[in-house]
Amino acid sequence: MLPGFEDFNTRARGPHGFRIHQPARERDFRTPSGRVEFSLAALPDDVDPGEGRLTLATVRSHDQFNTTIYSNDDRYRGLKGLRTVVFMNENDLRDRGLEEFDLVDITSFLKDGTKRTVHGYRAVRYEVPPGCAAGYMPELNALCGIADYSTQSDQPVTKHLVVEVTPSRAVGPVD
C-alpha cells in the first residue's frame, strides 16, 4: 500500500475527494536548510532561433492532465473546440503576413539537420514575447526529433524548438 492511499475508494468518493500529502504544499522542504533552495541554470547558447524563425514551446490546456485531454476547450487562453493552434505575438503574425486564425504550416529545424512539418494549424494572437510561439502538446510533439533532447535532463526539448510558421500550403499528415 502506498502511503496516503489508505481507504482510497471511500475517500475518493467524498464531496471534494482527498488530497495526497505533498510536503512542499505544507512548506515542508526536504533540503539541508529546511527551506526552498533555488539553483541557476545557464541559458543554452542557441537562444536566437535565426532570421524569420521562432522559438516554440509546447504547453498544456486547461482541460488536460499530462497527455490526457478531457476537452478541446482551454479557458486559460480563451479557446473553445480547437487544439491545432500556434500562439504567436501580434507583431510576429504581422511580419509573416498572417491574420488571426489563418491556416499555417509549422516546420521545425532539428539538431540532426532534418526538418519536420505539421500542416493546417491555426495562428492565434496571444501575448507571448516576440520571437516566441507556443502550442499544445501532444499535438506539436511531432515537431521534436529523437536527437532533440536536453543534455541536462535527457528529456525532449519540446519547450525549445526552432520553427518557421508559414501560410498553409496543404492540410495533411506530418512530413
Side-chain angles (χ1 to χ4, degrees):
M1 171 75 57
L2 290 172
F5 285 87
E6 300 82 9
D7 201 21
F8 174 84
N9 289 331
T10 301
R11 293 168 55 206
R13 289 180 179 91
H16 300 290
F18 70 95
R19 287 185 181 241
I20 297 171
H21 174 71
Q22 293 177 336
R25 181 177 55 219
E26 296 159 14
R27 297 192 173 152
D28 175 13
F29 302 105
R30 299 184 180 171
T31 61
S33 68
R35 302 179 68 172
V36 172
E37 294 180 2
F38 295 98
S39 63
L40 299 176
L43 285 174
D45 58 2
D46 61 347
V47 293
D48 180 0
E51 185 66 33
R53 294 183 177 172
L54 303 169
T55 301
L56 175 82
T58 57
V59 297
R60 292 175 178 89
S61 65
H62 173 261
D63 285 343
Q64 181 175 351
F65 179 75
N66 289 332
T67 56
T68 303
I69 300 161
Y70 295 100
S71 84
N72 289 330
D73 298 341
D74 185 358
R75 75 174 163 161
Y76 294 153
R77 296 170 192 91
L79 286 180
K80 290 188 181 278
L82 187 60
R83 290 187 57 88
T84 51
V85 299
V86 59
F87 298 103
M88 297 173 61
N89 179 284
E90 186 172 16
N91 293 334
D92 289 330
L93 283 168
R94 186 179 55 248
D95 291 349
R96 288 157 181 79
L98 299 171
E99 298 288 329
E100 187 168 33
F101 296 109
D102 278 355
L103 282 173
V104 296
D105 296 337
I106 308 164
T107 300
S108 62
F109 299 85
L110 309 178
K111 291 180 181 178
D112 65 4
T114 62
K115 299 178 189 178
R116 290 181 175 209
T117 302
V118 294
H119 302 283
Y121 277 61
R122 298 283 178 179
V124 176
R125 182 175 37 84
Y126 198 74
E127 288 189 39
V128 294
C132 297
Y136 296 124
M137 61 85 66
E139 288 83 353
L140 289 177
N141 288 359
L143 294 174
C144 187
I146 192 81
D148 292 305
Y149 62 90
S150 166
T151 56
Q152 290 179 311
S153 67
D154 288 331
Q155 297 298 308
V157 291
T158 56
K159 303 290 183 214
H160 187 84
L161 289 169
V162 174
V163 299
E164 283 182 355
V165 177
T166 56
S168 189
R169 62 176 173 78
V171 177
V174 176
D175 286 346

